[in-house]
Amino acid sequence: MSQSFYNESSDPTSFNQQQSLNHGGHEVMDMHETIGEIIAGLNQCIILRPQVQDPELLSILDRQYNFTLGMYNTIVESFKTGHDPSVPTGRYQMETGNDFKYGLTPSQPKKPMQNANEINDETISGFLLGAQKGAAKCMTAAATETTNPVVRRVVADSIPNCIEMAYELSIYQNKHGYYQVPQYSQQDMRAMLDSFATTTNPLH
C-alpha cells in the first residue's frame, strides 16, 4: 500500500496514539471476529498438515498458509496502529489452471466421519476451503463497517486473496472428484444466459 491516508503531525507520539484509537465500536468487534477467523484457519493448517497425503494438496496448503500469515500480520499491524502497514497487502497467485470439470459422476453419498482415522485429503481440502470462505465473509462484513480508512483499505484489498485461495481449493476438489459441478441442459442454459440484456440509459 503506497498511499498514505494521513498527514504527518508535529507531535508523532500524540498523532500515533490518536490514529491507533481511530476505530468505531462496531468496527472493533468486526475486526476481532475477522482476525479470529484468520487465526482459526491458520491453526487448522498446522493441525491438518501432518495428515495430508497428496503432494499437490500439501503444496497448496503450504503456499496458502505462508501467504495468509503475511496477510494476517499486515491486517493486525494496520488495526493496531491505524497507519499504513510496513508490509503492504499482496496478491495471491494460484499455481494451477482454472479448468472445471462439469457434470455429475455417480459416487458414494457423503456422511460425517465416525472416527478421526477417516480423515483424508477430501476432508482436509474441505476444511481449508471452508476457512477461506469464512474469512472472506468476515472481511467483507468488516470492510463495510470500518471507519478507519487504512484498516478499511487493507481489509478490502485482502478479500480478493481469500476468494482466490478458495477458488484454488475448489478447483483442486473438482479435479479429484470431491466437488462436482452440475449443469443445466444447453437449452435451459441458453435461456438463463439470455434472460438479461444490457441497457444504455444513464442518468444525466
Side-chain angles (χ1 to χ4, degrees):
M1 180 178 293
S2 59
Q3 179 182 4
S4 179
F5 290 90
Y6 296 110
N7 296 322
E8 291 301 321
S9 169
S10 57
D11 184 354
T13 302
S14 174
F15 174 76
N16 289 335
Q17 183 177 19
Q18 178 186 14
Q19 298 313 321
S20 67
L21 299 178
N22 183 15
H23 303 287
H26 203 151
E27 170 186 349
V28 169
M29 297 307 297
D30 278 351
M31 288 302 299
H32 268 250
E33 183 175 359
T34 296
I35 294 170
E37 187 80 17
I38 298 171
I39 290 174
L42 290 168
N43 289 345
Q44 273 192 348
C45 288
I46 296 296
I47 294 170
L48 296 171
R49 191 180 189 280
Q51 310 298 324
V52 176
Q53 299 296 315
D54 183 6
E56 181 184 5
L57 180 58
L58 186 62
S59 175
I60 292 172
L61 185 153
D62 286 349
R63 284 187 288 104
Q64 291 197 1
Y65 178 89
N66 292 334
F67 185 90
T68 303
L69 188 63
M71 181 178 71
Y72 164 81
N73 287 330
T74 293
I75 290 173
V76 169
E77 181 185 350
S78 66
F79 180 55
K80 290 179 68 174
T81 67
H83 289 287
D84 295 340
S86 55
V87 178
T89 51
R91 181 182 177 192
Y92 184 76
Q93 299 280 355
M94 295 193 308
E95 292 188 358
T96 57
N98 56 5
D99 294 327
F100 268 86
K101 293 185 292 186
Y102 294 96
L104 298 177
T105 302
S107 61
Q108 292 296 319
K110 298 182 186 299
K111 60 181 180 179
M113 294 189 305
Q114 299 299 304
N115 61 72
N117 293 331
E118 295 178 39
I119 193 167
N120 55 27
D121 290 335
E122 178 179 3
T123 307
I124 293 169
S125 59
F127 281 138
L128 299 177
L129 176 58
Q132 292 298 344
K133 291 169 71 173
K137 291 176 183 177
C138 280
M139 288 184 186
T140 301
T144 62
E145 298 289 349
T146 301
T147 58
N148 184 289
V150 176
V151 177
R152 186 191 71 84
R153 177 48 53 201
V154 167
V155 173
D157 285 349
S158 299
I159 296 169
N161 291 316
C162 293
I163 295 172
E164 196 77 356
M165 287 186 277
Y167 187 53
E168 182 177 39
L169 287 161
S170 67
I171 292 171
Y172 172 84
Q173 287 205 316
N174 175 257
K175 174 183 176 181
H176 292 274
Y178 307 149
Y179 170 53
Q180 299 193 54
V181 183
Q183 279 190 311
Y184 292 115
S185 67
Q186 283 193 350
Q187 179 180 352
D188 289 347
M189 185 71 76
R190 177 46 56 190
M192 293 295 289
L193 293 173
D194 292 340
S195 61
F196 300 98
T198 58
T199 183
T200 56
N201 187 29
L203 294 176
H204 298 287

